[in-house]
Every structure is written in structure tokens, then in C-alpha cells.
């Protein structure tokens, strides 16, 4: 869509993100194979359980991407409506001033007719739709008093300004119509993807659903192990940094006071954002929702940081630019973790490799490993305040 930022290429991932794709793929493969090693290929042409799982995941991903486009179009539509309302008010004010200037010119013409001080040409000039057309007639201009000339100038100025505002309003209405069409398209896309996913899931037998749940549990366990590894790495780095800071302080020269204050301020805000996000756990994911009863992914992060006094943009496409990019190893609680090359998902980091996010349609706000779908999908980490 032209109304929002193009997705970043994969090469722009934040510095420091490690992506051992083979290791991640191996973990996923073990989970899948352990469930399907004894399963015979379907003989009736029906897709396998793994194919259904992948298709459903892809549909949910596409729906979430379309949701962010919907959010962007909705936000743009709201701004355009406000702009048009403002333009209409401005046009109304200028039209009133234009009518007042026209009335003043009319009163001059009427007075000159009554006194016989004006020729028909003068009256025609004063009441014309475009008095500017007569400005080159020096003999006529000589007949006008300074007050009359001022009234003519006011009229011409208001006429030009009013016409400009009317043209601007017409153009904005056209843009609004285009944004509304984009909004409807994005909405239809989301609904279509979700309907397809529900249809696929409804065709699974009870046994297949149980196997699918078992595969999901194994993926979550693998993701939890990766989160624990990151937590251990971050703890070791924090301890090393603390020892270094302690050594610097004992040496009698410390220049980190300002940095410590800044870090403390961020930690305080981050704590408020996380506290808000944690209070939303259990509320349903609903595409396009910003609370308080339900959220989509960017709606949750926006609301969480708003509770900390920080205003974030509405969409993931804009939130990714609303702060400082840091490496995954340097992620701190409160940072935003973005996922996929099209930056279509976001969660709020809470430490120890974990985050709180609104995962997908049919799910609820929850605490989960940032590796919930593998490490390779992590796009970047952004510190918003």
C-alpha cells in the first residue's frame, strides 16, 4: 500500500541477531518427526497433519500482516477525516468573510448610484465576480477612494484563498475515498485468511487435533530452552559488566553517572509498560483491536507503553522506527521484539528470553519465549524510550 512504509529487506535486521537456522530447523524437525515417524502417508489425497499445520500458520501470518495494513489504512483514514473537517470549517469561515467583502462592495456601489458619483462601469467593477479583471483600467482605479480600494483588495484576497481551500478539500476527499477502499480491501483479506484457517482446522479429527497439540507443546519446549540459553548469556554479560563498573569506580574515576540515570529512567518506564502488558494476559487477540477488552499485537505494545507515558505509532511498520535498535544480546525488559521480514508482529520483552504478546487470532495475550516460532524469524529489537 502506498500509504505506509514498505517492509524492510532481510538485510536490515538489527546488528547482533544470531540466526543459527540449521539448529532451529533441527529442533523443529525433531518435534515434527517424533509425532509422525509412524504415520503412513495419506492415501486419499488429503493433506497431512504437518501440511495442515503449516498452512494454518501461514494463513494466520498472512492475516496478521493484513491486519497491520488494515491498522495503517484505518489510522490514515481517521487523520484524513479530521483534516477534511478542518478544511470545511476553514472554507466556511472564508466564505463568510468573502460574503462580507462582497456586501461591502455592494454598499459602495449602491451609495454611488444614489449620489450619482459613479458611472455604470464603476458599479460593474464593484459587483463583478472577478474585480481583478478591471485592475488595469487606470481611469477607473482613479475614481476609487482608499477605503474602496482596501475593500476590493480584501475581496480579491478572500476569493483566491477560499478557492484554494475548496480545491484542497476536494483533493482530500478523493484521497479519503482511496484510503477507505484500501481499508475495505485489507479487512476483506483478513476475514478471508481467518475463514480459510478455521475451515482447515474444522476438518481435523479429534486424534489429529491431539497430535497437533502435542507438536505445539514440543515446539514450545524447544523455544523455552532457547530462551533459557539467552537468559544465561545475558546474566553472564550483566555480571561481567557489573564487575567492570565496580573496578572503574574503585579506581576513583567514574563518568557513567549520566548513563546510569538514563538507564534508570528507562527501567522505570519499562516496568510500567510491562506491568500493564502483564495485566492484559488472558485477553483475546482480535485483529484491529487496541483494548481494553482485546488487542492485536501492535495494539498491545502501543497501549503498554502509553501506560508508561510514551506514545508509540499504531502499526508495527512505524513502531519499528520509534526508538533505538539494539542487538538481541543487549535486549532489556521493555524493549520491542519485531518478527518476520515484513515486520508484521511485535511483542514486549520482559527478560530471560521471554515476552508478552498477542500472538494470533484464536489465541490470548500471553507470556511466551521470543523463540516461539524459531530464531530465524526475529527481525530486530527496538528500545522505544
Amino acid at each position: 500500500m502506498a500509504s505506509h512504509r514498505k517492509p524492510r529487506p532481510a538485510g536490515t535486521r538489527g546488528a547482533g541477531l544470531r540466526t543459527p537456522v540449521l539448529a532451529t530447523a533441527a529442533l523443529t524437525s525433531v518435534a515434527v518427526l517424533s509425532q509422525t515417524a509412524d504415520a503412513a502417508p495419506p492415501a486419499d489425497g488429503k493433506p497431512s497433519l504437518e501440511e495442515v499445520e503449516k498452512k494454518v500458520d501461514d494463513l494466520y501470518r498472512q492475516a496478521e500482516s493484513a491486519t497491520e495494513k488494515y491498522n495503517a489504512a484505518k489510522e490514515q483514514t481517521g487523520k484524513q477525516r479530521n483534516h477534511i473537517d478542518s478544511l470545511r470549517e476553514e472554507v466556511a469561515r472564508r466564505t463568510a468573510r468573502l460574503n462580507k467583502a462582497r456586501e461591502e462592495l455592494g454598499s459602495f456601489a449602491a451609495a454611488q448610484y444614489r449620489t450619482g458619483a459613479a458611472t455604470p462601469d464603476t458599479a460593474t467593477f464593484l459587483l463583478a465576480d472577478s474585480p481583478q479583471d478591471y485592475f488595469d483600467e487606470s481611469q477607473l482605479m482613479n475614481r476609487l477612494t482608499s477605503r474602496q480600494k482596501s475593500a476590493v483588495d480584501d475581496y480579491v484576497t478572500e476569493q483566491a484563498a477560499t478557492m484554494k481551500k475548496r480545491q484542497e478539500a476536494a483533493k482530500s476527499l478523493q484521497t479519503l475515498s482511496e484510503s477507505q477502499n484500501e481499508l475495505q480491501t485489507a479487512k476483506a483479506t483478513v476475514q478471508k485468511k481467518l475463514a480459510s484457517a478455521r475451515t482447515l482446522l474444522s476438518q481435523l479429527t479429534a486424534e489429529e487435533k491431539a497430535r497437533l497439540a502435542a507438536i505445539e507443546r514440543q515446539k514450545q519446549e524447544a523455544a523455552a530452552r532457547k530462551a533459557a540459553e539467552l537468559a544465561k548469556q545475558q546474566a553472564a554479560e550483566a555480571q561481567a559488566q557489573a564487575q567492570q563498573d565496580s573496578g572503574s569506580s574503585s579506581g576513583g574515576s567514574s563518568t557513567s553517572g549520566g548513563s546510569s540515570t538514563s538507564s534508570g529512567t528507562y527501567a522505570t518506564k519499562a516496568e510500567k509498560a510491562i506491568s500493564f502488558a502483564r495485566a492484559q494476559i488472558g485477553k483475546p487477540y482480535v485483529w484491529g483491536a487496541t483494548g481494553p477488552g482485546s488487542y492485536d499485537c501492535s495494539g498491545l505494545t502501543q497501549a503498554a507503553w502509553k501506560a508508561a507515558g510514551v506514545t508509540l505509532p499504531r502499526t508495527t511498520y512505524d513502531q519499528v522506527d520509534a526508538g533505538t535498535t539494539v542487538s538481541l544480546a543487549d535486549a532489556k525488559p521493555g524493549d520491542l521484539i519485531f518478527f518476520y521480514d515484513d515486520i508484521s508482529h511485535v511483542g514486549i520483552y520482559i527478560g530471560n528470553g521471554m515476552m508478552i504478546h498477542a500472538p494470533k487470532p484464536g489465541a490470548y495475550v500471553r507470556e511466551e519465549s521470543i523463540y516461539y516460532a524459531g530464531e530465524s524469524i526475529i527481525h530486530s529489537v527496538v528500545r522505544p524510550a
Side-chain angles (χ1 to χ4, degrees):
M1 281 187 356
S3 60
H4 58 75
R5 182 174 296 101
K6 294 182 179 179
R8 294 181 175 183
T12 62
R13 294 174 185 267
L17 292 184
R18 301 177 177 86
T19 55
V21 179
L22 293 178
T24 303
L27 287 171
T28 304
S29 298
V30 169
V32 174
L33 290 175
S34 64
Q35 297 297 321
T36 60
D38 299 326
D44 56 359
K46 180 180 177 180
S48 68
L49 182 60
E50 288 69 38
E51 290 172 336
V52 171
E53 180 196 27
K54 184 180 184 306
K55 182 64 175 176
V56 168
D57 286 346
D58 287 345
L59 286 169
Y60 279 145
R61 264 249 310 118
Q62 292 165 18
E64 189 165 39
S65 181
T67 294
E68 290 305 312
K69 293 178 181 178
Y70 170 86
N71 292 339
K74 185 176 181 181
E75 183 178 45
Q76 183 66 17
T77 297
K79 289 179 179 178
Q80 287 167 342
R81 281 201 182 101
N82 292 336
H83 181 57
I84 288 171
D85 289 343
S86 177
L87 284 174
R88 282 172 172 165
E89 292 174 0
E90 179 68 14
V91 168
R93 286 193 297 268
R94 290 190 176 278
T95 299
R97 290 199 293 267
L98 183 63
N99 291 336
K100 183 178 179 181
R102 185 189 293 271
E103 289 173 3
E104 188 171 3
L105 289 178
S107 67
F108 286 147
Q112 288 179 331
Y113 265 128
R114 287 194 300 270
T115 61
T119 66
D121 286 341
T122 306
T124 302
F125 167 73
L126 291 174
L127 296 175
D129 289 334
S130 301
Q132 185 68 44
D133 294 343
Y134 292 85
F135 274 8
D136 292 334
E137 300 182 21
S138 58
Q139 183 179 2
L140 181 59
M141 289 303 294
N142 290 334
R143 297 193 185 105
L144 298 177
T145 67
S146 61
R147 183 182 175 190
Q148 289 170 335
K149 288 179 180 178
S150 176
V152 170
D153 289 341
D154 290 344
Y155 179 82
V156 172
T157 299
E158 287 300 332
Q159 186 182 50
T162 301
M163 181 61 68
K164 182 178 179 181
K165 287 297 180 182
R166 285 173 177 167
Q167 291 172 346
E168 187 178 347
K171 184 177 180 181
S172 293
L173 281 171
Q174 177 62 32
T175 304
L176 174 61
S177 177
E178 293 171 357
S179 293
Q180 288 174 327
N181 290 337
E182 292 174 350
L183 188 65
Q184 292 303 317
T185 298
K187 182 177 180 179
T189 300
V190 173
Q191 292 173 331
K192 181 179 179 180
K193 300 297 182 184
L194 294 181
S196 297
R198 285 192 291 267
T199 298
L200 284 172
L201 291 173
S202 69
Q203 294 171 349
L204 296 178
T205 65
E207 180 183 355
E208 288 172 330
K209 290 179 181 178
R211 287 174 54 207
L212 194 60
I215 293 174
E216 184 64 26
R217 282 195 300 272
Q218 290 206 5
K219 285 184 177 180
Q220 291 176 351
E221 291 169 1
R225 287 193 294 271
K226 288 291 296 177
E229 291 175 11
L230 178 60
K232 185 177 179 180
Q233 174 191 347
Q234 290 180 327
E237 291 177 354
Q239 184 178 8
Q241 183 64 47
Q243 291 175 348
Q244 181 179 347
D245 292 344
S246 177
S248 298
S249 298
S250 63
S253 60
S254 176
T255 60
S256 60
S259 176
S260 297
T261 300
S262 176
S263 178
T265 300
Y266 179 77
T268 299
K269 292 180 179 179
E271 184 177 354
K272 291 180 181 178
I274 292 172
S275 178
F276 178 92
R278 201 179 297 280
Q280 312 314 306
I281 289 177
K283 293 183 179 180
Y285 176 105
V286 174
W287 63 275
T290 57
S294 57
Y295 297 89
D296 63 17
C297 66
S298 56
L300 176 64
T301 52
Q302 183 188 47
W305 270 103
K306 182 179 180 180
V310 176
T311 300
L312 292 181
R314 175 63 182 94
T315 69
T316 54
Y317 310 129
D318 292 325
Q319 287 183 12
V320 75
D321 291 326
T324 303
T325 301
V326 299
S327 68
L328 181 58
D330 292 332
K332 293 181 179 180
D335 290 351
L336 302 178
I337 311 288
F338 293 90
F339 299 87
Y340 304 105
D341 288 336
D342 63 354
I343 321 174
S344 58
H345 188 68
V346 64
I348 183 167
Y349 190 61
I350 60 174
N352 297 323
M354 304 294 287
M355 68 177 173
I356 296 173
H357 69 148
K360 60 184 178 181
Y364 298 84
V365 175
R366 66 193 182 203
E367 182 178 319
E368 192 166 33
S369 167
I370 64 173
Y371 303 105
Y372 75 105
E375 186 173 1
S376 63
I377 69 164
I378 299 176
H379 179 277
S380 56
V381 182
V382 172
R383 189 157 299 151

